[in-house]
Amino acid sequence: MGRPALLKLLAMLASLLALMLSVPALASAQHAPAASPSCHAASDATRNFSDMIDGSAWICSDKNWEANRPVAWLRFDASSWADEMLPRHFISRISRHDSIEFAALDADGTLRTLRHDEAAGRPFGGGPAFELALPEITENTRALLVRIERPHSIPLLTEAKLAVAPEDVAWSQHEMILLALVIGMLVLPLCFDVSFFIVLRERSVMLHAIMVVAMMTYVLFAGGLISVFATLPVALIAVLAPLSWAIG
């Protein structure tokens, strides 16, 4: 390929990227807003939902998040989804944990609980996130309490959301296409490394190829793009994403 043709190809690629970045995220204008936690707390493993109904147990600020205690708690007040459609899904950053249990607290004190272990999480192609179904949320629900056993990271807590559908908080389509373009651009240096290794048998070339594969794996798993091609458990993505980052 001559130099003029190469420059034209690069110009076309730059124009395509600029066009994609300038396209507004139509989904964000059409989807219902997601609800963020109103309060949080941390406790030992013996504390249950009945103990957490009391408001004095909560920290209602963005400070003092803890993920090194046996149990982390989140509280979503009904005011966070007032005048909107009732939430049906819990969504957060993919991270290791033992289980997540929900309790919908009604005005008359009724608690409807639902428990999921880590394997129940469903990652989706919209960022490094997973979703879980909620117990029934009604017009009489005044709060949703979330009990997370053995949380592994702070983002699992701080990035938690309640949404009507996972698409409400997913990355836009053009952002996912950009990730796919990054994967595509990494294929060329990988083919280059493999071809040169066949001819030269240089160890350094193969080490560079391994680094490129690690970068591709990181983009696939940490960006959530892998969920477009395969259904994988949350635990597998939570392990492979940081592992690929460490290798790269």
Side-chain angles (χ1 to χ4, degrees), residues 28 30 51 63 70-71 73 77 101 111 113 115 132 135 139 154 162 178 192 209 220 222 243 247:
S28 61
Q30 296 173 352
D51 300 324
K63 299 179 179 179
V71 177
W73 296 86
D77 290 328
E101 188 173 4
L111 282 174
T113 62
R115 185 180 184 277
L132 293 170
E139 297 292 343
I154 295 295
L162 299 185
L178 282 175
F192 177 87
L220 278 172
L243 180 62
I247 295 174

Side-chain angles (χ1 to χ4, degrees), residues 94 118-124 129-130 220-221 225-238 240:
I94 290 177
E118 186 182 47
R122 185 184 71 87
F124 55 93
F130 72 100
L220 278 172
F221 285 89
L225 189 62
I226 187 65
S227 301
V228 176
F229 307 102
T231 301
L232 298 175
V234 168
L236 180 60
I237 297 179
L240 290 181

Side-chain angles (χ1 to χ4, degrees), residues 100-218:
I100 297 179
E101 188 173 4
F102 304 103
L105 176 63
D106 287 350
D108 60 1
T110 301
L111 282 174
R112 289 182 302 282
T113 62
L114 182 61
R115 185 180 184 277
H116 300 281
D117 59 20
E118 186 182 47
R122 185 184 71 87
F124 55 93
F130 72 100
E131 63 92 10
L132 293 170
L134 298 176
E136 183 184 8
I137 306 295
T138 70
E139 297 292 343
N140 294 323
T141 302
R142 63 184 180 92
L144 177 76
L145 310 183
V146 185
R147 185 180 191 271
I148 305 175
E149 291 188 13
R150 301 291 177 184
H152 189 266
S153 68
I154 295 295
L156 174 63
L157 312 177
T158 58
E159 298 185 21
K161 305 284 185 183
L162 299 185
V164 178
E167 292 75 15
D168 293 339
V169 295
W171 289 359
S172 64
Q173 187 175 13
H174 73 273
E175 289 173 317
M176 298 303 293
I177 294 176
L178 282 175
L179 290 181
L181 281 175
V182 172
I183 293 290
M185 288 187 290
L186 289 173
V187 171
L188 183 59
L190 180 61
C191 295
F192 177 87
D193 289 335
V194 173
S195 300
F196 266 69
F197 180 78
I198 293 174
V199 176
L200 302 176
R201 298 293 177 179
E202 287 287 344
R203 183 181 178 186
S204 60
V205 176
M206 186 52 63
L207 290 176
H208 186 267
I210 294 173
M211 183 184 70
V212 173
V213 171
M215 294 166 62
M216 296 173 68
T217 305
Y218 178 75

